């Protein structure tokens, strides 16, 4: 985001509409022994107050279904491979808002990053916006395609392909910002 003044917000208001409220959510993460390890702080937009009338198809983002997950796990078992799980840190804030989507957000109460009567003009998506999951999916898909992975024709959240020429394929299942993957260990080319 970019911090903007009240005057800048008033100039943008005919385009962006009313500034959406936000709130800060902090969560304490614990280590394996149950001791506090770190504090996670996230700004969440109250996207339910967004006046834009998005249709369901404009907000839809595919996610890995239970059936697709079972398919991936069955495939891993049949190939005698151990699937691994991963999580993308701060996934939604890695997606850039398209030019035709403009949002101004009021900072959460007590937010130390802005002064009184300042606003946040969003450049990236944030948690809470209706279309954030969709933008994140397309960002992830773009990265997978750039690596040479392709989605399956009937399962847009399963990506497969060879990252390195002559090496076994990798399989990735995407569920919002979590993923499951497996591949054969790389061997020397014949």
């Amino acid at each position: 985001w970019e911090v903007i003044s009240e005057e800048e917000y008033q100039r943008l208001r005919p385009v962006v509409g009313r500034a959406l409220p936000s709130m800060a959510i902090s969560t304490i993460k614990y280590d394996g022994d149950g001791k506090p390890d770190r504090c996670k702080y996230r700004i969440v937009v109250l996207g339910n107050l967004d006046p834009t009338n998005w249709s369901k198809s404009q907000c839809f983002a595919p996610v890995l279904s239970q059936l697709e997950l079972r398919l991936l796990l069955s495939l891993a078992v049949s190939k005698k491979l151990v699937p691994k799980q991963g999580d993308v840190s701060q996934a939604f804030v890695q997606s850039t808002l398209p030019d035709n989507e403009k949002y101004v957000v009021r900072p959460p109460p007590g937010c130390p990053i802005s002064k009184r009567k300042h606003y946040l003009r969003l450049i990236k998506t944030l948690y809470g916006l209706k279309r954030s999951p969709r933008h994140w999916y397309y960002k992830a898909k773009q990265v997978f395609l750039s690596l040479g992975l392709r989605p399956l024709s009937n399962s847009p959240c399963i990506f497969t392909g060879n990252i390195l020429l002559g090496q076994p394929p990798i399989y990735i299942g995407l569920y919002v910002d979590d993923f499951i993957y497996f591949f054969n260990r790389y061997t020397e080319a014949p």
Side-chain angles (χ1 to χ4, degrees):
W1 59 70
E2 167 185 57
V3 178
I4 61 173
S5 67
E6 173 79 28
E7 295 79 29
E8 291 173 282
Y9 165 59
Q10 291 304 332
R11 279 196 306 272
L12 287 171
R13 190 163 182 179
V15 176
V16 298
R18 198 179 68 146
L20 294 174
S22 65
M23 57 192 245
I25 297 177
S26 59
T27 308
I28 297 173
K29 297 290 186 173
Y30 298 92
D31 64 12
D33 297 328
K35 296 178 183 172
D37 183 40
R38 61 191 167 94
C39 185
K40 188 175 183 178
Y41 183 83
R42 177 179 292 163
I43 294 177
V44 178
V45 177
L46 298 178
N48 58 320
L49 301 176
D50 180 1
T52 309
N53 193 13
W54 300 110
S55 69
K56 287 183 182 180
S57 65
Q58 291 173 310
C59 294
F60 175 76
V63 294
L64 193 67
S65 69
Q66 286 183 341
L67 183 63
E68 291 167 326
L69 176 60
R70 289 174 57 191
L71 170 72
L72 278 174
L73 293 174
S74 298
L75 189 59
V77 168
S78 71
K79 294 181 175 284
K80 298 183 178 161
L81 300 173
V82 178
K84 299 189 185 316
Q85 183 269 337
D87 178 65
V88 178
S89 178
Q90 302 175 5
F92 286 1
V93 298
Q94 296 186 35
S95 306
T96 306
L97 280 169
D99 293 336
N100 63 340
E101 284 184 56
K102 298 186 184 328
Y103 292 100
V104 173
V105 175
R106 285 182 289 170
C111 182
I113 62 167
S114 66
K115 301 173 188 150
R116 184 177 157 92
K117 296 208 175 198
H118 277 69
Y119 295 85
L120 306 175
R121 185 181 67 79
L122 297 186
I123 299 166
K124 304 249 183 183
T125 61
L126 280 181
Y127 290 88
L129 290 176
K130 292 177 184 175
R131 289 177 38 102
S132 288
R134 182 180 182 89
H135 295 313
W136 160 245
Y137 170 79
Y138 284 111
K139 174 71 173 180
K141 182 179 177 181
Q142 180 183 21
V143 169
F144 291 147
L145 290 173
S146 73
L147 292 171
L149 303 176
R150 298 284 178 255
L152 297 182
S153 59
N154 293 330
S155 299
C157 290
I158 298 178
F159 294 84
T160 187
N162 300 72
I163 293 179
L164 297 173
L165 192 61
Q167 295 299 321
I170 185 170
Y171 298 88
I172 299 175
L174 186 63
Y175 184 86
V176 189
D177 64 345
D178 295 306
F179 56 93
I180 181 172
Y181 65 98
F182 59 91
F183 56 92
N184 281 334
R185 293 191 185 271
Y186 289 110
T187 57
E188 291 185 29

